[in-house]
Amino acid sequence: MLSRIMSGSIRNLDREYDCTVRLLDDTEYTCTIQRDAKGQYLFDLICHHLNLLEKDYFGIRYVDPDKQRHWLEVTKCIAKQMKSQPPFTMCLRVKFYPPDPAALKEEITRYLVFLQIKRDLYHGRLLCKTTDAAMLAAFILQAEIGDYDPGKHPEGYSSKFQFFPKHSEKLERRISDIHKTELIGQTPDTSELNFLQKAQMLETYGVDPHPCKDVSGNPAFLAFTPFGFVVLQGNKRVHFLKWNEVTKLKFEGKIFHIYANQKEDKKIILTYFAPTPEACKHLWKCGVENQAFYKLEKSSQVRTVSSSNLFFKGSRFRYSGRVAKEVMEQSAKIKREPPEIHRAGLVPSRSCPSITHGPRLTSVPRTRRRAVHISIMEGLESLRDSAHSTPVRSVSHGDSFMPRSRSLARDASEGSAVISDEAYSPSDSMLPTPVAEHSLELTVARQVNGAPCSIKEEKESEAGTPSLGDAGDLSDSRATVEGAEGASPLSEVEQVNTFVLSVLRLLLVTIGLLFVLLFLLIVLTESDLDVAFLRDIRQTPEFEQFHYEYFCPLRQWFACKLRWAGSLLINK
């Protein structure tokens, strides 16, 4: 009896496994699910736990043993997607950034998006001018600790908190001044809303960077935002394509292509190289999902997309879910009492310390600060003197889903693609950018949005997640334009090889189809199968004419040749 119970328990354990999902406030949700459970089941469990209805903006992210990021596909079995052994650890993150966070229906949704953007700010994915940075940090202070109180908040209290990869004393004083004087009386939800409205005006809002290289080998960062596809190099946004301009995304191995039609029927092709084929496929899938979510009017318009022009080659992928317009329409129908939000008592973050817990890092020796400061200045000089600068096209964001305030800001800044010209200056910084010990290249500063900045990976919660500082120095863009000159010899050879492989595949498939047709023809003419549809085909006048005028003479010719070849073999 005991052995029977134990064997039954072992069988149940084989069918179930534990799964831990780290939420945006760094708490953990652990559950036991069936081995054949699909991603949608786990996602619904988490949304129910959070009392979240506007869930289409979020997704579950995991990292495989090769440190490659993936979004959990809700239509597929969880166990088949994971390359590691259970128990599994994943993260809840914002997958599709709302084009206008202020338009979100419920406060719980805005709060979760606020936590995500605060994380982006800390890890350097959301970079901005010093004035904007001070305002964003002050909103965070007001949302989490309330009004300034001299009894609770001594002089220099803002220096105890970590908002960005780097801090300066001047910036900390500016944050304190704004918090003390301009935000008095704001409730947490009001401060969070103001934070979101300020953040969504920035060029890097919604950027989840994918490190790549252009055809000249210069590092670049590709990203998909609510408004289109962007390429960041140096302190510039060197390419921006609206979603309605992007016609096709495809990849072949490590090579990623973006096809677009711009004004006056100008067709362009941008080509970049990902670190690995897996990273390139992840980039492609992210692009397909973002384009479908933000561009289409209805989810019924979603089609299966192939990574190649030929149906028998490459990967096939289909976005499953509602599109942005449907999500907003559905959100407008929500009618319920606002759920309670527990803002206090956050667990200290392992990757993005909550400002109510994590002190500012001050343990870097003075000698090391000076060494990093010198390397930063050298890196800036190399960027300034770089001979790889190219003219930057002036573009503006698309109008779809764009708030009026953002559109007006675009009109005011049209003609400049420089993201920021006055950001965190190395001379003003009291804390050097964290330097990864495993890479000497990271001792040279990276400058994105005008801010030399190296971003630490989100360890433990998102192991292996690339950030804007993970791929070394940023330079100006090199992208292949249709008909443009100067493509590298390596890319031309790869293009020829790709074309030859495509032709060979097409030839093999054509030969295979001919053999299949020949087999069906023999079945029709020579077999005695009495199947209804075969009988109907045999009785048609066209088939009878073909059979007697073409097939029978051809069969006799083949039989004659075979007898002749057989006689030759026998005589030898």
Side-chain angles (χ1 to χ4, degrees):
M1 182 69 178
L2 181 61
S3 62
R4 190 177 302 171
I5 294 174
M6 291 180 64
S7 62
S9 301
I10 293 173
R11 283 196 297 271
N12 289 333
L13 288 174
D14 290 339
R15 296 195 214 104
E16 297 178 347
Y17 53 86
D18 292 331
C19 185
T20 299
V21 179
R22 290 175 181 145
L23 308 179
L24 283 162
D25 61 1
D26 289 294
T27 58
E28 294 185 347
Y29 176 78
T30 303
C31 60
T32 302
I33 57 179
Q34 298 292 325
R35 183 166 290 277
D36 59 349
K38 294 185 177 180
Q40 187 68 53
Y41 176 76
L42 177 60
F43 184 64
D44 290 340
L45 277 180
I46 297 169
C47 293
H48 179 73
H49 170 74
L50 296 172
N51 208 355
L52 177 65
L53 293 183
E54 295 174 288
K55 56 187 179 181
D56 299 83
Y57 298 107
F58 301 87
I60 299 176
R61 171 176 283 167
Y62 66 95
V63 182
D64 65 22
D66 297 326
K67 305 300 181 183
Q68 174 60 49
R69 294 182 303 168
H70 302 275
W71 288 106
L72 189 70
E73 296 186 40
V74 295
T75 59
K76 295 184 179 180
C77 177
I78 297 174
K80 292 182 179 179
Q81 296 184 62
M82 308 296 289
K83 297 181 180 179
S84 58
Q85 294 297 319
F88 301 134
T89 301
M90 311 179 199
C91 304
L92 179 72
R93 295 291 181 261
V94 172
K95 186 175 183 180
F96 303 111
Y97 285 75
D100 184 7
L104 294 171
K105 178 76 172 181
E106 295 200 304
E107 185 181 347
I108 179 65
T109 315
R110 291 194 294 271
Y111 175 63
L112 293 175
V113 176
F114 163 78
L115 292 178
Q116 175 68 65
I117 299 178
K118 188 178 75 170
R119 182 183 296 271
D120 294 343
L121 191 67
Y122 174 78
H123 287 282
R125 291 187 290 266
L126 180 71
L127 297 178
C128 52
K129 296 180 180 180
T130 305
T131 53
D132 295 329
M135 201 70 194
L136 291 172
F139 283 135
I140 297 175
L141 269 178
Q142 183 67 25
E144 295 203 9
I145 68 176
D147 291 340
Y148 170 71
D149 184 350
K152 295 180 181 178
H153 309 134
E155 186 68 24
Y157 67 100
S158 65
S159 65
K160 304 296 182 183
F161 309 127
Q162 183 78 7
F163 304 105
F164 317 102
K166 297 178 61 178
H167 278 218
S168 69
E169 290 180 346
K170 182 179 179 181
L171 179 58
E172 290 166 358
R173 288 195 297 269
R174 180 58 182 154
I175 293 170
S176 300
D177 291 342
I178 296 174
H179 179 234
K180 292 176 183 178
T181 59
E182 300 183 25
L183 306 181
I184 298 175
Q186 284 193 11
T187 59
D189 59 313
T190 302
S191 296
E192 291 162 5
L193 180 59
N194 291 334
F195 175 89
L196 294 175
Q197 290 176 328
K198 186 72 175 177
Q200 66 99 21
M201 296 291 294
L202 303 176
E203 294 286 351
T204 50
Y205 169 74
V207 165
D208 185 16
H210 299 259
C212 294
K213 290 186 178 181
D214 62 19
V215 293
S216 298
N218 299 318
F221 292 95
L222 279 57
F224 309 102
T225 73
F227 312 102
F229 167 80
V230 297
V231 180
L232 303 174
Q233 285 187 315
N235 65 334
K236 297 180 179 67
R237 183 201 66 201
V238 295
H239 284 290
F240 173 77
L241 298 173
K242 303 175 187 177
W243 283 124
N244 58 6
E245 295 175 344
V246 178
T247 57
K248 184 178 178 61
L249 302 170
K250 80 172 193 176
F251 80 97
E252 297 172 2
K254 297 182 183 180
I255 309 173
F256 181 69
H257 304 282
I258 307 98
Y259 296 77
N261 292 332
Q262 291 192 311
K263 297 177 182 178
E264 301 175 354
D265 295 330
K266 179 183 178 182
K267 296 183 179 181
I268 66 171
I269 304 174
L270 306 180
T271 300
Y272 290 91
F273 299 87
T276 64
E278 292 75 18
C280 195
K281 184 176 182 179
H282 174 66
L283 172 64
W284 172 72
K285 291 172 72 173
C286 288
V288 169
E289 290 187 313
N290 277 270
Q291 186 179 23
F293 184 81
Y294 294 114
K295 180 179 180 179
L296 300 181
E297 295 288 325
K298 296 182 290 186
S299 56
S300 59
Q301 298 174 339
V302 177
R303 297 290 181 265
T304 300
V305 180
S306 174
S307 64
S308 172
N309 293 326
L310 301 176
F311 70 92
F312 54 84
K313 176 192 172 188
S315 300
R316 294 172 66 82
F317 180 69
R318 178 187 175 92
Y319 167 66
S320 58
R322 291 184 289 194
V323 299
K325 188 173 182 179
E326 292 175 333
V327 172
M328 290 189 287
E329 292 173 352
Q330 193 68 25
S331 298
K333 300 177 183 178
I334 297 177
K335 295 180 180 179
R336 66 168 181 174
E337 290 294 323
E340 185 179 359
I341 301 175
H342 302 282
R343 289 184 173 87
L346 297 178
V347 177
S349 171
R350 281 168 284 226
S351 60
C352 178
S354 173
I355 66 166
T356 56
H357 297 89
R360 186 168 71 109
L361 301 176
T362 58
S363 59
V364 180
R366 184 178 300 274
T367 55
R368 185 178 173 189
R369 290 184 209 166
R370 178 168 179 79
V372 176
H373 173 74
I374 293 173
S375 68
I376 287 174
M377 296 305 294
E378 291 175 351
L380 288 177
E381 290 296 327
S382 66
L383 284 173
R384 191 177 297 115
D385 299 334
S386 175
H388 296 289
S389 59
T390 54
V392 180
R393 293 184 292 112
S394 172
V395 291
S396 59
H397 285 312
D399 297 330
S400 59
F401 305 115
M402 186 186 295
R404 179 174 175 78
S405 59
R406 189 181 182 99
S407 179
L408 291 174
R410 287 291 166 273
D411 295 338
S413 62
E414 190 174 2
S416 174
V418 177
I419 300 173
S420 174
D421 55 359
E422 49 174 271
Y424 313 126
S425 173
S427 59
D428 294 334
S429 178
M430 299 300 294
L431 178 70
T433 301
V435 179
E437 296 178 357
H438 63 278
S439 177
L440 296 177
E441 296 178 357
L442 295 181
T443 58
V444 180
R446 270 76 71 181
Q447 187 176 18
V448 180
N449 291 15
C453 165
S454 169
I455 293 74
K456 242 179 153 75
E457 293 181 351
E458 298 190 15
K459 294 182 180 178
E460 299 208 14
S461 67
E462 286 188 71
T465 301
S467 58
L468 286 178
D470 285 342
D473 296 332
L474 296 178
S475 305
D476 292 324
S477 177
R478 290 296 179 109
T480 54
V481 180
E482 198 171 52
E485 299 178 355
S488 63
L490 180 61
S491 63
E492 293 179 358
V493 171
E494 290 179 345
Q495 290 175 4
V496 171
N497 291 339
T498 302
F499 174 75
V500 171
L501 289 174
S502 299
V503 171
L504 289 176
R505 289 191 180 97
L506 179 61
L507 184 62
L508 290 174
V509 170
T510 304
I511 294 174
L513 290 174
L514 289 176
F515 273 108
V516 171
L517 290 174
L518 180 61
F519 174 76
L520 291 176
L521 182 62
I522 293 173
V523 169
L524 279 171
T525 56
E526 301 298 326
S527 69
D528 296 329
L529 293 176
D530 190 16
V531 183
F533 82 94
L534 293 178
R535 186 170 56 251
D536 294 339
I537 294 175
R538 292 189 184 108
Q539 291 175 356
T540 58
E542 293 84 359
F543 181 81
E544 291 181 353
Q545 182 182 5
F546 169 79
H547 182 262
Y548 291 112
E549 293 186 9
Y550 297 100
F551 182 77
C552 288
L554 183 64
R555 182 179 58 183
Q556 293 176 358
W557 182 81
F558 267 111
C560 181
K561 292 297 180 183
L562 288 174
R563 285 195 295 270
W564 175 75
S567 63
L568 286 178
L569 292 174
I570 293 173
N571 293 333
K572 287 183 179 180

